[in-house]
Amino acid sequence: MENYVANSFDKNYAAAWSMDQGGFSAGLAQNLLNYLKKNKINAKSCLDICCGTGEFLGYFAKAGLTCAGTEIAKSMVDFCKEKYPTQSFTLTKAIYDLPVKGKFDVITCNHDMVNTIERFVDWQKLFKEVEDHLTRDGVFMFDYYTKTKLQNWNEVTYEESDNMDHVSAIRKGMDNKCIMNEVYYIKNDDGTYNKTFDVQVEAYFENDEIVAALNKAGFKHVTLCNFSLEPATDTATRNRIHVIARR
Ligand SMILES: C[S@@+](CC[C@H](N)C(=O)[O-])C[C@H]1O[C@@H](n2cnc3c(N)ncnc32)[C@H](O)[C@@H]1O
């Protein structure tokens, strides 16, 4: 464990995030693998945009797919390269940067990372880039926080567990934005703590304009789903939507 480092997304944050949020990635990976099986899609490769510690990709690697990830944080790329030496990880400058060569059967971007794109024109850029990097029957899966969730989100929560404490402070920002502060205090054996944190701005857009942008980018079949990746019947009131987009 490194001593306290005042950098967002350092190695301590990776460890804390993984303990706190790893279950979401595990469940979603399993649901997507089930979706592929149910729809008889024989996927051989997967690219996870914003791959973090490779939590999600790990399940696809285990299922025999060739995996790749893009990341904005060098610490995450280094972490993934060490953990999965045979897979490919690329350091990028923007979420829509997909400098990875070749086409993929599956492209994912989970954990509302798409909401970190503040301008809608850049969501459109991402959708087009993804479409360009998919094989003919490829599947794009991503999730986002809806306007319902973000438009008035002001909340402070505190959770304590045996190995760490977590303080989350979320407040409504200007226009369509929310500011999220996540602080983890990781407990050491000697009773001291390692503090690590992240600050993130997330923006919301309307469900209809997101679907229209996906169609415009070339996705003919767009389904708004729940976490199980089944069509959602309550899209107007949902906090988070998982999208399955096919060409
Ligand atoms: C929620 S975590 C990743 C989770 C991962 N997909 C999984 O399920 O295992 C989000 C990651 O996105 C990265 N990130 C944030 N902004 C990014 C951007 N613009 N481009 C690429 N990666 C970004 C962060 O560094 C962080 O590691």
Side-chain angles (χ1 to χ4, degrees), residues 127-217:
F127 296 162
K128 189 70 207 121
E129 274 297 300
V130 169
E131 205 270 341
D132 282 348
H133 279 78
L134 275 177
T135 51
R136 203 162 60 93
D137 297 319
V139 177
F140 176 35
M141 185 214 65
F142 70 99
D143 61 66
Y144 64 92
Y145 273 134
T146 59
K147 177 178 174 184
T148 305
K149 179 70 180 177
L150 291 186
Q151 69 185 341
N152 215 359
W153 197 359
N154 286 293
E155 189 177 29
V156 178
T157 56
Y158 173 68
E159 289 164 1
E160 200 179 16
S161 68
D162 287 347
N163 39 22
M164 68 178 182
D165 298 346
H166 176 201
V167 182
S168 168
I170 296 171
R171 65 187 163 83
K172 166 110 189 61
M174 297 246 291
D175 305 323
N176 61 340
K177 300 189 185 58
C178 243
I179 299 131
M180 301 168 162
N181 290 269
E182 306 290 343
V183 187
Y184 291 104
Y185 297 89
I186 305 168
K187 295 180 190 174
N188 297 317
D189 292 342
D190 63 3
T192 61
Y193 287 79
N194 285 80
K195 177 187 175 191
T196 181
F197 65 92
D198 187 39
V199 182
Q200 191 163 285
V201 173
E202 296 207 3
Y204 65 80
F205 296 95
E206 302 280 349
N207 295 339
D208 289 351
E209 62 183 328
I210 294 168
V211 173
L214 285 161
N215 291 148
K216 194 166 173 221

Side-chain angles (χ1 to χ4, degrees), residues 221-239:
H221 311 282
V222 177
T223 314
L224 303 186
C225 301
N226 56 26
F227 185 73
S228 305
L229 302 181
E230 282 151 2
T233 49
D234 54 349
T235 52
T237 52
R238 286 192 76 76
N239 289 331

Side-chain angles (χ1 to χ4, degrees), residues 2 13 46 79 82 102 107 109 123 149 158 203 213 216 227 229:
E2 287 186 338
Y13 194 90
C46 177
F79 183 95
E82 213 171 289
I107 300 185
C109 185
W123 284 57
K149 179 70 180 177
Y158 173 68
K216 194 166 173 221
F227 185 73
L229 302 181

Side-chain angles (χ1 to χ4, degrees), residues 8-9 13-14 17 21-22 24-26 28-29 48-59 70-77 90-97 108-113 116-117 198 200:
S8 176
F9 260 92
Y13 194 90
W17 183 88
Q21 298 283 329
F24 178 99
S25 305
L28 193 57
D48 190 30
I49 300 169
C50 302
C51 64
T53 51
E55 208 79 35
F56 181 84
L57 275 181
Y59 295 90
T70 62
E71 243 298 327
I72 207 166
K74 187 172 179 308
S75 56
M76 295 290 166
V77 172
T90 309
L91 185 64
T92 51
K93 287 204 165 64
I95 200 165
Y96 47 74
D97 263 0
T108 55
C109 185
N110 62 28
H111 273 278
D112 49 273
M113 292 316 293
T116 63
I117 312 176
D198 187 39
Q200 191 163 285

